[in-house]
Amino acid sequence: MEKEEPLSQLTGKTWDDSAVRCRKVPQNIPVVSKDKNSPTHGHVSEDDTQPSNGSYTQDSASHHHYVSPSKVLLVLVVGLSFSTRLYKIKEPPHVCWDETHFGKMGSYYINRTFFFDVHPPLGKMLIGLAGYMTGYNGTFPFIKPGDKYEHHNYWGMRGFCAVLGSFLPVFAYLIVLELSHSHTAALITATLLIFDTGCITITQYILLDPILMFFIMAAVLSMVKFKQQRYRPFAASWWLWLVLTGMSLAGALGVKFVGLFVILLVGLNTAADLWRILGDLSLSLVDFGKHFLARVLGLILLPLFLYVTIFTVHFAVLNKSGPGDGFFSSAFQSRLIGNNLHNASMPEYLAYGSTITMKNLRIAGGYLHSHWHLYPEGVGAKQQQITAYLHKDYNNLWLVHRPNKTQSGSPDLVRHGDLIRLEHKETTRNLHSHVHEAPLTKKHHQVTGYGINGTGDANDLWQVEVCGGHKGDLVKVLRSKVRLRHRATGCVLFSSGKILPKWGWEQEEVTCSPYIKETPSSQWNIEDHFNPKLPNISISILKPNFLEVLVESHIVMIRGLRFSGVNDTEYRVYLLGNPVVWWTHLFSLALYLLMVSVASLAIQRGLPLAAKRVEHARVLKSGGGLLLLGWLLHYVPFYTMSRILYYHHYFPAMLFNSMLTGITLDILLKSADLLLRPPYCDWLFRFGLMVLLLAVLYSFYLFHPLSYGMMGPLSHEPGSSMAGLKWLASWEF
């Protein structure tokens, strides 16, 4: 017996899978007008408004008199998703994991304090807005995990993230329904996500992950919906889903650069779509051009405009000096209220006798810095440490002296080619180098602080070079790129960007490089300049324009688990996915590859297949292929990155895995009629579905304390209620 699967749900009419599971029914084929002069050109005729399995009858015309099963399922998914995410949203009442970062950043927005982060600003702005709208005043310090919130109103920021996270199963349900036209596949997908403890945990706290995943899923849903409108080009609904796709792409990229992966997914899908349109000989090249330009507008220009707008708001809100100042150039800092460079005035040209700070010009370069601590035994000469420090500090100040101790009454200006001696203001030691290995960059020379009160040796002398300058050129404060060449060895002062160990207070290494090629790491600019004997000028002319600020912020960004509790007296939350769900995902990945290979081979060999098998193969190759591509794009690139990978990095890929699992298991269960005759095939289908859903629900019941919190002995200790659930030795709860 054959079964015809529904091919379309464009009109919202309902159908019953089970009613036709083992019954052959006629197929209706949509008719598309090919007459370009016809008002229905490119649109589906009314015949397409009926499911192709023929289950729509005259009695269905009165469907508005009862509640559609699809609507009941959707309401159920929405209710379960929101209830599981919002349950115990205030617990635990202390800072958990990365809330210490993103909660603090939300506070910065409320206080309009500038900070630096490697991610674009949209997610943090939305967190700050949610806190502000729910009464949080931005005063909680978010110092470390475990700090009690006490009277501070934190639930609004958590609730906002949980609400966005609650949409993930809903979006997944709708995406799978569009791709497979199967409520069963959609229900399996939603169930896997709703009752996954890891997905619940990652969306219940003040984090960027739920915001990022919301926009990723919104982009995929909008893309799929837009593709379903291909028979209604340029209609209002067509434009709506195109615009929503573009807006969602801007949102995903505006939260994290991981959003680039979903942009690539949509881009590849769009390229395939345009290729199909180009091959449609019923359309002229003018028609193709309209389609192409519409997609450029909706998927490139609109997201780009919105992305830039995000940064416009970001820079407008964060207009006060804060902890992020030191990561940016001197010109960038001059626009921040409260920064010492904001509306400041200082001498225009460097002179002997001046007190200065020097900032390295590499990306996120630090200030030339020293302190009383010495290099440890075995690390070059045991002299005073010289480092690069990313923050403004009194220990960044240096005095500019002549090669000898003598100073003239009038301030002589420093010129290209002159020799200087830099004395650290706080410790009075000279900037010094010698032929000893640098701490980390072994081919470079060590840089130290040496001497006392100006007394030193010939290794304290440095020659000033203005990059691109000539002998006699003056050194302009803030604007000149300066190199310091060591007179004795010929090496140049260099910031490697490498982080020193604990003995160096995890500040950046400063060396003297024998490689004299000009690079930003060997270039410095004079930022602060104090000299009472010289006239001051305003530096407001150095304020960068918006485009310069935007470019610099991206250059700096590109450079760049237990959630809570440590003992049996604390309320503990553990980020661990529901093992039944995650192991089902792994099984389904392998199963999908096997099933799509068998289906493709059967079609390639021209084997006679029932219409239902052909439809299953189409869903596997088209819908499943799209989801597999989404999984690969959000999984594989992380292994090319030179960074530590954490469990939470996998969650965007897990969303695509869940949707692929729903489609794969649905088709597997519906293939029961290959083994059994009716009605046994239908019984096996229902039994398999019930076993799967009950297994997910029961495992959620067992592991739900991981998401909602637990107390008492740890799992490896006697008397722990969680001991029986430690299925793997690597689990620590």
Side-chain angles (χ1 to χ4, degrees):
M1 303 295 290
E2 295 182 357
K3 167 197 158 190
E4 296 293 333
E5 291 296 312
L7 296 177
S8 177
Q9 196 195 13
L10 292 175
T11 63
K13 293 186 172 58
T14 62
W15 62 87
D16 186 352
D17 286 352
S18 61
V20 295
R21 178 155 291 113
C22 300
R23 176 164 54 88
K24 184 173 182 177
V25 292
Q27 181 179 14
N28 296 317
I29 302 176
V31 179
V32 182
S33 173
K34 298 295 184 180
D35 181 6
K36 287 194 236 182
N37 297 321
S38 168
T40 62
H41 166 61
H43 295 261
V44 182
S45 68
E46 291 184 3
D47 289 340
D48 191 44
T49 63
Q50 301 180 11
S52 60
N53 65 358
S55 61
Y56 177 77
T57 65
Q58 294 297 322
D59 293 338
S60 301
S62 60
H63 67 88
H64 57 277
H65 296 300
Y66 64 93
V67 179
S68 166
S70 62
K71 293 181 179 178
V72 172
L73 280 178
L74 182 58
V75 170
L76 180 63
V77 168
V78 171
L80 289 174
S81 184
F82 275 78
S83 60
T84 52
R85 270 68 184 168
L86 294 174
Y87 176 63
K88 300 181 74 173
I89 195 65
K90 293 185 177 181
E91 300 294 336
H94 61 246
V95 177
C96 296
W97 194 45
D98 273 359
E99 284 189 329
T100 187
H101 300 303
F102 302 118
K104 183 185 298 181
M105 292 172 187
S107 299
Y108 285 145
Y109 279 104
I110 294 175
N111 297 317
R112 309 192 67 175
T113 302
F114 186 77
F115 67 96
F116 166 72
D117 185 47
V118 296
H119 304 301
L122 179 60
K124 285 96 64 178
M125 281 199 295
L126 293 176
I127 288 172
L129 178 62
Y132 179 78
M133 296 296 291
T134 53
Y136 172 59
N137 59 11
T139 58
F140 186 74
F142 287 97
I143 296 175
K144 64 183 186 300
D147 288 351
K148 301 294 184 182
Y149 282 116
E150 297 177 341
H151 63 280
H152 292 277
N153 192 347
Y154 63 95
W155 65 266
M157 293 182 285
R158 277 192 183 174
F160 169 74
C161 293
V163 166
L164 294 190
S166 300
F167 280 100
L168 301 181
V170 180
F171 287 168
Y173 175 90
L174 296 174
I175 291 169
V176 172
L177 189 60
E178 288 289 342
L179 293 176
S180 67
H181 305 294
S182 168
H183 287 99
T184 304
L187 180 61
I188 292 173
T189 298
T191 302
L192 293 174
L193 288 176
I194 289 173
F195 298 108
D196 177 53
T197 50
C199 193
I200 291 174
T201 302
I202 201 71
T203 57
Q204 278 196 316
Y205 297 91
I206 307 171
L207 304 171
L208 295 185
D209 301 86
I211 309 174
L212 170 67
M213 292 190 288
F214 171 85
F215 284 115
I216 289 176
M217 294 295 282
V220 176
L221 175 60
S222 300
M223 176 188 70
V224 171
K225 287 284 190 179
F226 172 70
K227 196 170 184 178
Q228 296 293 341
Q229 301 296 318
R230 61 186 178 275
Y231 297 120
R232 301 178 177 88
F234 308 108
S237 57
W238 188 90
W239 279 109
L240 172 66
W241 291 112
L242 177 64
V243 169
L244 288 177
T245 304
M247 294 175 63
S248 300
L249 293 179
L253 186 60
V255 176
K256 280 188 177 183
F257 287 125
V258 173
L260 287 169
F261 302 148
V262 75
I263 290 176
L264 182 57
L265 176 65
V266 172
L268 292 173
N269 185 75
T270 302
D273 194 30
L274 287 172
W275 184 252
R276 176 189 60 79
I277 294 173
L278 184 61
D280 186 351
L281 299 182
S282 68
L283 298 176
S284 68
L285 290 179
V286 173
D287 294 328
F288 173 78
K290 292 178 180 178
H291 278 276
F292 178 80
L293 291 177
R295 286 161 174 80
V296 169
L297 176 64
L299 301 179
I300 298 179
L301 296 182
L302 176 62
L304 182 61
F305 170 77
L306 293 176
Y307 184 73
V308 172
T309 301
I310 291 169
F311 278 88
T312 304
V313 177
H314 168 71
F315 292 129
V317 173
L318 301 185
N319 63 350
K320 297 179 181 179
S321 177
D325 295 14
F327 290 92
F328 292 83
S329 68
S330 306
F332 187 102
Q333 296 178 44
S334 67
R335 54 178 291 277
L336 299 172
I337 299 172
N339 188 282
N340 63 304
L341 298 177
H342 181 71
N343 293 334
S345 60
M346 62 181 65
E348 183 176 10
Y349 298 106
L350 180 64
Y352 293 107
S354 296
T355 301
I356 65 171
T357 62
M358 295 180 60
K359 183 174 174 60
N360 189 256
L361 296 185
R362 68 187 303 276
I363 297 172
Y367 295 93
L368 187 64
H369 179 93
S370 189
H371 39 236
W372 289 103
H373 303 280
L374 306 180
Y375 287 103
E377 194 71 39
V379 181
K382 194 174 182 181
Q383 298 175 5
Q384 187 166 295
Q385 297 176 14
I386 302 293
T387 65
Y389 187 48
L390 292 175
H391 305 281
K392 293 179 180 290
D393 188 82
Y394 184 79
N395 279 329
N396 299 339
L397 294 175
W398 298 83
L399 301 174
V400 182
H401 295 301
R402 295 178 181 276
N404 49 45
K405 290 186 178 181
T406 61
Q407 298 286 355
S408 63
S410 60
D412 291 336
L413 300 179
V414 177
R415 300 176 183 271
H416 177 94
D418 286 355
L419 289 178
I420 64 172
R421 178 171 54 82
L422 289 178
E423 178 186 324
H424 189 241
K425 186 172 183 179
E426 171 67 13
T427 64
T428 73
R429 299 191 188 276
N430 298 326
L431 185 68
H432 177 97
S433 186
H434 44 221
V435 186
H436 286 267
E437 283 187 346
L440 303 178
T441 310
K442 299 302 183 182
K443 292 185 178 181
H444 290 195
H445 301 326
Q446 183 187 32
V447 176
T448 68
Y450 179 73
I452 189 79
N453 292 324
T455 301
D457 59 24
N459 283 332
D460 302 339
L461 301 183
W462 301 81
Q463 185 176 38
V464 176
E465 296 180 353
V466 178
C467 297
H470 304 282
K471 187 171 180 62
D473 286 353
L474 297 174
V475 179
K476 296 179 180 179
V477 174
L478 292 173
R479 288 172 286 182
S480 291
K481 297 179 180 179
V482 175
R483 294 204 311 170
L484 295 183
R485 186 191 295 269
H486 191 238
R487 177 66 180 275
T489 64
C491 59
V492 292
L493 192 66
F494 189 91
S495 173
S496 69
K498 298 177 181 178
I499 305 301
L500 294 169
K502 295 288 186 182
W503 56 257
W505 301 92
E506 297 182 335
Q507 297 173 11
E508 293 186 353
E509 178 193 42
V510 170
T511 69
C512 197
S513 171
Y515 308 103
I516 61 175
K517 182 180 178 180
E518 288 187 1
T519 66
S521 294
S522 64
Q523 295 172 335
W524 306 77
N525 76 286
I526 311 301
E527 180 171 293
D528 297 293
H529 185 209
F530 309 99
N531 195 319
K533 298 180 180 180
L534 292 175
N536 292 336
I537 65 165
S538 173
I539 64 170
S540 59
I541 58 173
L542 297 177
K543 287 184 179 179
N545 58 42
F546 173 75
L547 182 60
E548 292 171 330
V549 169
L550 182 66
V551 171
E552 180 175 348
S553 65
H554 278 75
I555 291 174
V556 174
M557 282 190 296
I558 291 172
R559 181 198 165 226
L561 300 177
R562 177 182 289 125
F563 262 54
S564 72
V566 294
N567 55 51
D568 61 353
T569 63
E570 294 185 356
Y571 196 94
R572 304 192 307 278
V573 176
Y574 194 83
L575 180 59
L576 177 71
N578 184 328
V580 171
V581 171
W582 284 63
W583 292 341
T584 301
H585 288 166
L586 292 176
F587 167 75
S588 296
L589 272 175
L591 180 63
Y592 169 79
L593 294 175
L594 176 63
M595 290 173 62
V596 76
S597 298
V598 171
S600 299
L601 182 62
I603 294 175
Q604 187 68 18
R605 294 295 299 171
L607 299 180
L609 298 176
K612 180 177 72 171
R613 307 293 173 222
V614 175
E615 173 64 8
H616 286 175
R618 185 198 66 80
V619 171
L620 283 172
K621 294 175 66 176
S622 178
L626 176 67
L627 298 176
L628 180 65
L629 178 60
W631 177 78
L632 289 171
L633 290 175
H634 287 82
Y635 180 67
V636 175
F638 281 103
Y639 286 95
T640 67
M641 300 178 185
S642 56
R643 62 171 299 178
I644 298 174
L645 298 180
Y646 293 101
Y647 180 48
H648 69 97
H649 289 142
Y650 182 72
F651 276 88
M654 186 273 287
L655 296 175
F656 289 93
N657 200 342
S658 296
M659 293 186 285
L660 184 60
T661 298
I663 287 178
T664 302
L665 295 184
D666 173 56
I667 293 178
L668 177 68
L669 292 173
K670 286 178 178 176
S671 299
D673 57 354
L674 292 173
L675 301 175
L676 300 173
R677 295 176 300 171
Y680 306 110
C681 61
D682 193 45
W683 295 353
L684 181 58
F685 171 87
R686 293 175 179 173
F687 175 76
L689 181 61
M690 290 301 297
V691 168
L692 174 64
L693 297 181
L694 289 175
V696 172
L697 288 172
Y698 183 65
S699 60
F700 173 73
Y701 166 75
L702 292 177
F703 287 95
H704 77 274
L706 301 180
S707 293
Y708 298 125
M710 52 193 170
M711 297 183 69
L714 301 176
S715 59
H716 63 276
E717 297 174 346
S720 172
S721 60
M722 304 297 292
L725 298 179
K726 190 176 180 180
W727 297 351
L728 296 179
S730 59
W731 295 354
E732 300 174 357
F733 51 78

